[in-house]
Amino acid sequence: MVAGDVTAVLRVTHRMRQVARELLVITAAILLYFVVRGLMTTRIDTAYRNAENVIALERSTGIFVEPRLQEVVIQHGWLAELFGYIYIYGHWPVVVATLLWLLIRQREAYRTFRNAILLSGAIGLVIFAAFPVAPPRFLTAYGFVDTVTERTSAYRVLQPPAFVNQYAAVPSLHFGWNLLMGIALASLGGHWIIRLFGWLMPVLMFCAIVLTANHYIVDGLAGGAIALLGLLVGYRLGRKPRWARRLR
C-alpha cells in the first residue's frame, strides 16, 4: 500500500515537472518572439509603401473591402465593441488555455501544435524583418478607424508600442495561432460545444482582426497559410519512423 502510494506520488510529481517545463519553454519562446519582433529595426517609410502595395494587391483581386465593412460595423456600436473584445480577449487566453489542455490531456498532439506555433513564429519574424507593413489603423485616409484604441486602452497597455513592432501587419499570427487552436479543439474536443467553439473561434478572430483595422484581409490569409505550414511540418516532425511504429 505504502509503495503504491509513493509510486503514485512520484508519477504525479514527474507529470507536474513535465508540465512546468513545457510551460516554461513555450512562455520563453513567446516572450522571445515578442522581444525580437519589437527590437527589429523599423523602416517606417518602407512599411507605408508596403501597405500601399498590399492595398493595391487587394484592389487588383477585388477584395479591398475592409473600409466598407468597418464602416457598417462602426454604425452599430455594440458590434464594433464585440469585435474589439474578441480581438483583445479571444487570442492569448484561448491560445494559452488550449495549449495547457493539450499538454495535460493530449500530449502527442501538444507537441505537434507547440512545434507549429514555434515554426510559424520563426517564419513570421523573418517576414516582419524583410517586409514591414503599416497596419490599416495607421492609414486613416482610407477611412480606417482604430476601434480597439477608441474603446479601450487595455490592449495597447498590455502590449506597449515601445516593445511591439507596430509595422508587423503581415502575416497575422494573431489569426494564424487562433486557427491552430481551433483545429486542435475541433478535432480533439470531447464535447460538441468544444468542437463547435473550435470551428467558430478562428472565423470570429479573422473577422475581428479585419474589422478592428489591425490587419488587412491578405494578412489573415498569409497568417493562416503560415500557421498551417507550421502544423504540417510539426506533424511530420512528431511522426514516429516506421520501425518505431512496428515495435508498438
Side-chain angles (χ1 to χ4, degrees), residues 3-86:
D5 291 342
V6 171
T7 301
V9 170
L10 290 176
R11 187 180 298 114
V12 171
T13 302
H14 177 66
R15 173 61 63 86
M16 290 178 63
R17 286 178 178 174
Q18 286 182 318
V19 170
R21 184 177 63 247
E22 286 295 334
L23 289 176
L24 182 62
V25 168
I26 196 70
T27 301
I30 290 173
L31 288 175
L32 180 62
Y33 165 82
F34 277 106
V35 168
V36 173
R37 173 178 157 174
L39 291 177
M40 286 179 177
T41 301
T42 300
R43 305 186 301 279
I44 296 178
D45 291 342
T46 302
Y48 277 93
R49 284 198 301 272
N50 287 338
E52 295 289 349
N53 290 334
V54 169
I55 290 174
L57 172 63
E58 289 195 349
R59 279 178 165 163
S60 67
T61 55
I63 63 172
F64 184 60
V65 295
E66 294 95 322
R68 294 199 298 275
L69 292 177
Q70 196 185 32
E71 183 180 359
V72 172
V73 169
I74 291 174
Q75 290 174 358
H76 302 82
W78 66 271
L79 198 55
E81 192 165 346
L82 172 63
F83 282 116
Y85 277 110
I86 291 173

Side-chain angles (χ1 to χ4, degrees), residues 167-221:
Y167 301 93
V170 179
S172 173
L173 293 179
H174 199 107
F175 165 69
W177 288 350
N178 271 70
L179 176 61
L180 291 176
M181 299 304 95
I183 292 172
L185 293 171
S187 58
L188 300 171
H191 198 281
W192 70 267
I193 293 179
I194 296 176
R195 295 195 298 274
L196 179 62
F197 179 76
W199 282 104
L200 294 179
M201 177 263 298
V203 176
L204 292 173
M205 183 55 71
F206 190 95
C207 294
I209 65 171
V210 172
L211 297 175
T212 59
N214 278 281
H215 290 279
Y216 308 94
I217 290 176
V218 166
D219 303 352
L221 297 177

Side-chain angles (χ1 to χ4, degrees), residues 30-31 33-35 37-38 87-89 91-93 137 148-149 153-166 168 173-174 177 214-215:
I30 290 173
L31 288 175
Y33 165 82
F34 277 106
V35 168
R37 173 178 157 174
Y87 182 82
I88 297 171
Y89 301 109
H91 182 55
W92 284 118
R137 67 179 186 272
V148 171
T149 300
S153 61
Y155 191 71
R156 307 303 175 207
V157 170
L158 290 172
Q159 297 195 53
F163 298 99
V164 178
N165 185 348
Q166 297 292 292
L173 293 179
H174 199 107
W177 288 350
N214 278 281
H215 290 279

